[in-house]
Each structure stands twice: as C-alpha cells, then as structure tokens.
Amino acid sequence: MKRMVLLISALALCWEISQAQTLHAVVFCNTIDESIGENMKIDLKNSTDKIRTIARVLDYDLDLQQLDGKDCTRAKLKAAIDEMVVEPDDVVFTFYGGHGTHAMNNASDPWPQYCMNTGFENQGNWVPMATVDKWVAAKSPRLRIIVANCCNKEQRGTTVKPLWADDGRAKSLSDINPESMKALFGVKGSIMATSSKLGQLSWCNALYGGIFTSQFWDAMEKVGNGRLKADWENLLKDAAESTGQYRFRTDEPPYTVTQNPYYKVNISGSGTIKKDNDKNPGKDRNPGTPLDVALQRLLNKDLAIETRLDMIPGVLNTYFAPGTKVMTYANDLKTVVDYEDAADFLRRIARSPYIKQVNVLENANNVIKVHELR
C-alpha cells in the first residue's frame, strides 16, 4: 500500500503566458503511520523546501499549505483546494506522501488512490489521484502539477471510487537559472507520469524519503543549473532512468525487483514569458507563517543592520520558547552544519550580507530546523 506515484498535469489557457503571479501549493503527508510516518516526514520537509525555493527563483508569490498527521484528510484537502483564489496565470502544485493502493480489475484508471491518514477501516477518507487532478483543474490555473509518493499496486477490498466528472550550508540561488525554470513552467499541454507501472510497488526509506520523489527533485535541480534541458520530457526521463537503477528485495519471487516509472508528455507549445514583473496590486502576497515573516524582515537588506538587530528581542520573545535551539541543514537537507542558540542564530542571519531567505523545515520540541538560501 505504500510508497509513491507521480502525476503531473499542465494546462496553459492562453498562447502568450505572462509571468505567473502565485504558486499555490498543498503538501499533505501521512506522518503518523507506524510503518512509513518517519519517512513521510522527510518527504514533507524536502518537498516544502523545494517548493519554497522554486517560488523564490521564479519570483512568484507563494500560497503554501501543509496538512500532516491528523490533518491529512480528504475533507481538509478538498477545503484547502476550494479556498484557493486562483487567477488565470497562476500555478497549483500538490504533493501527497503516504499509503496508496489500487482497485482490482480497474486498469482503465492508471492512477492510485491516496489512503490519506487512514487504512482500510475508512475508505471514505481516501482520495483517487485523478479526483485531486479534477479538483485542481476546476480552479483553472495555467499550470497544474500533482505529485504523490504512494504505491499503485492492486489490493483486494479496495473499491473503485467515483471520479468527480558554500560550505554546503545553503542553497545558492545564483546556481539556479530563472529563465530555465520559467521555460519549464511556462508550457501549454499536459504531462502525466507514475513512479511505477500499474501492479508495481514504489519504495521509500529513512534517508531519501520516496525514491522517485528524490530523483524527481534531483532532475528539477539539473534543469535549474543547466545540466538538463528545460523541458518535462527530459526531466521525467532522467528521473525515471535514475529510479530504474535501484533494486529492491521482496519476500516473494522474483525477490529482487525494480520500479519502472511510466509517463506521457503532450506539449502543444510554449508561451512567451514577459520580462516585466508586474504584480496585481489588488492581490495580497502570502509570505508564510508569522515566524517566516519575522525572519524575512531580519533579512531585509533595505533596513539598516542596526534596525534589524534592534528587532531581535521582539522576534526572540514572540516566536522562540526559552532554550530553543536552531539546527541549520546543508543543501542535502540531511547534513547538520550548525546548532545554535536562537539568539545567536537571529544575530547571525541579521548581520549576513548573503542570506536571502530562510526556509523553516520543522518547528517542534524546542528545536527549529532551517535551510538557508543565498
């Protein structure tokens, strides 16, 4: 029932595409399951960080929602999508990490069902992947991207659900070519892909989270730094070939298996990205949580360093419990490169002439985990 599948659908509504104003994203993961919960925390952290970085590189506004643990439900996902205020040139990105399954004798639907945060005891909480695609399509974004980390193997008892008709500390933004990313996201057409063919399992582990998810984001990074041509065919081919190199052991013959991603790309053209960066003055920017806003103000180079340093006591008292530590991760999001008192962390980033953004990866148990963008 577990591991991962990827579906990406892209829709451009007009031939000349201006720069999208907002990247709407929902990241929802089953982080409380005993068998995969810890691995899905990795997918939650990695995908959220990558989405925030992409929004910064593209200079899109970001509307980001996270639904994990008890909040990873069908009702809350539907509400999150329904509440989006999507304009014609916006992008919607959803990522699911958790258990997935497929009904028997239902090969006409190649996509899995998300089990959300429940098992077979509550199929009413499950969501077919194709349904999520239809929910997002109803918002009429220019580009819709649906990514998931779950299995796609048939399982008895699964019912067919009706479908609704440079020290390594930080990522250097200068390493990412914005024009390459704009070319990737500025297409019209459709792209669909699964991490494993119908009938196969997909895999995850405690180091990478979802294997195909990891390869997908690696391929995205190759596009950003020019090692891979900026189109979805190349990105998915690279991710699929990398995934196919892994071998996984099972308890049944043939005992060693691979997962073989399957995808179709149908691009009918590309838009012309306008060079201006005009924003809709009537549209509010969603900068994230109050802590995100406070940290970004400390990084605002338009303010004098003395002004930013004077803000630290207020930020410290408002957002950091006594004794809170800040753990800074390298670009691989695995290597810890700093472990500081909260006050020392705030002073360091306020004084830094290089740090452009701080992504909060996790905030729990008096430890805040972050990733810096430079």
Side-chain angles (χ1 to χ4, degrees):
M1 276 178 60
K2 35 182 179 290
R3 319 291 199 247
M4 116 189 69
V5 171
L6 164 68
L7 160 67
I8 302 176
S9 292
L11 176 63
L13 300 180
C14 57
W15 178 253
E16 183 168 339
I17 301 174
S18 62
Q19 180 163 326
Q21 295 190 6
T22 300
L23 171 59
H24 305 270
V26 184
V27 180
F28 53 112
C29 296
N30 182 355
T31 58
I32 57 177
D33 183 89
E34 291 184 0
S35 61
I36 62 168
E38 292 301 314
N39 297 344
M40 291 305 97
K41 288 180 181 178
I42 296 174
D43 272 12
L44 179 77
K45 176 183 68 175
N46 288 355
S47 296
T48 299
D49 181 75
K50 299 298 185 185
I51 289 168
R52 294 189 67 187
T53 301
I54 288 170
R56 179 65 185 242
V57 170
L58 295 173
D59 196 24
Y60 289 4
D61 291 343
L62 178 62
D63 172 20
L64 174 63
Q65 300 183 66
Q66 288 183 317
L67 304 173
D68 64 329
K70 61 182 179 60
D71 292 327
C72 183
T73 66
R74 178 189 179 100
K76 292 199 172 184
L77 172 63
K78 182 64 162 62
I81 295 173
D82 285 347
E83 292 167 3
M84 292 178 181
V85 180
V86 180
E87 296 186 2
D89 206 26
D90 286 352
V91 175
V92 177
F93 190 115
T94 73
F95 177 86
Y96 167 68
H99 286 299
T101 188
H102 201 284
M104 304 292 291
N105 303 315
N106 188 32
S108 61
D109 176 14
W111 313 114
Q113 297 182 31
Y114 301 165
C115 298
M116 307 301 284
N117 62 2
T118 50
F120 270 87
E121 71 277 8
N122 185 11
Q123 289 199 36
N125 187 45
W126 293 7
V127 187
M129 193 171 194
T131 294
V132 177
D133 185 49
K134 290 182 180 295
W135 287 347
V136 174
K139 306 300 290 189
S140 298
R142 172 176 56 78
L143 177 67
R144 66 184 190 268
I145 304 170
I146 315 297
V147 182
N149 174 21
C150 63
C151 278
N152 195 20
K153 187 171 177 62
E154 302 97 327
Q155 191 160 350
R156 294 188 182 278
T158 300
T159 60
V160 177
K161 309 298 189 297
L163 298 183
W164 179 80
D166 289 42
D167 55 357
R169 174 192 300 276
K171 177 67 180 176
S172 175
L173 292 173
S174 63
D175 291 340
I176 305 175
N177 183 354
E179 298 307 316
S180 293
M181 299 303 287
K182 290 174 184 177
L184 186 68
F185 282 83
V187 297
K188 59 182 304 182
S190 64
I191 308 105
M192 299 182 70
T194 68
S195 64
S196 52
K197 294 178 180 178
L198 181 60
Q200 291 185 331
L201 295 172
S202 294
W203 300 81
C204 64
N205 62 33
L207 181 62
Y208 297 104
I211 301 301
F212 186 66
T213 305
S214 175
Q215 304 310 310
F216 172 77
W217 289 122
D218 283 349
M220 181 78 72
E221 185 164 325
K222 291 178 183 177
V223 171
N225 59 32
R227 290 185 290 144
L228 197 64
K229 185 179 178 181
D231 66 57
W232 290 101
E233 182 77 46
N234 281 304
L235 187 152
L236 291 171
K237 180 181 178 181
D238 184 90
E241 290 179 348
S242 297
T243 301
Q245 295 177 4
Y246 287 86
R247 299 293 182 270
F248 306 100
R249 295 186 180 278
T250 66
D251 296 331
E252 301 174 353
Y255 301 112
T256 300
V257 299
T258 61
Q259 67 180 78
N260 307 110
Y262 171 76
Y263 60 89
K264 289 186 176 181
V265 177
N266 180 19
I267 300 299
S268 56
S270 60
T272 302
I273 303 292
K274 292 182 179 179
K275 297 301 181 181
D276 62 90
N277 194 24
D278 293 338
K279 302 288 183 181
N280 183 344
K283 187 174 186 179
D284 293 332
R285 184 180 184 95
N286 184 341
T289 67
L291 176 57
D292 293 324
V293 175
L295 294 180
Q296 202 58 39
R297 280 185 55 80
L298 291 180
L299 299 174
N300 186 353
K301 305 302 186 288
D302 292 335
L303 300 177
I305 290 181
E306 292 77 10
T307 301
R308 284 180 267 158
L309 292 174
D310 288 342
M311 294 163 54
I312 289 177
V315 174
L316 191 64
N317 293 332
T318 303
Y319 302 107
F320 295 83
T324 294
K325 299 288 186 180
V326 179
M327 188 177 296
T328 302
Y329 281 78
N331 187 43
D332 60 7
L333 300 187
K334 303 180 187 70
T335 306
V336 177
V337 295
D338 224 331
Y339 186 71
E340 309 165 274
D341 290 332
D344 292 338
F345 163 75
L346 294 176
R347 284 192 289 267
R348 177 173 65 79
I349 67 171
R351 290 192 178 103
S352 173
Y354 306 111
I355 301 174
K356 297 178 180 179
Q357 181 170 306
V358 174
N359 291 345
V360 177
L361 305 175
E362 186 177 321
N363 186 352
N365 301 321
N366 280 6
V367 176
I368 297 179
K369 300 177 182 180
V370 303
H371 176 219
E372 299 170 6
L373 306 180
R374 299 191 177 195

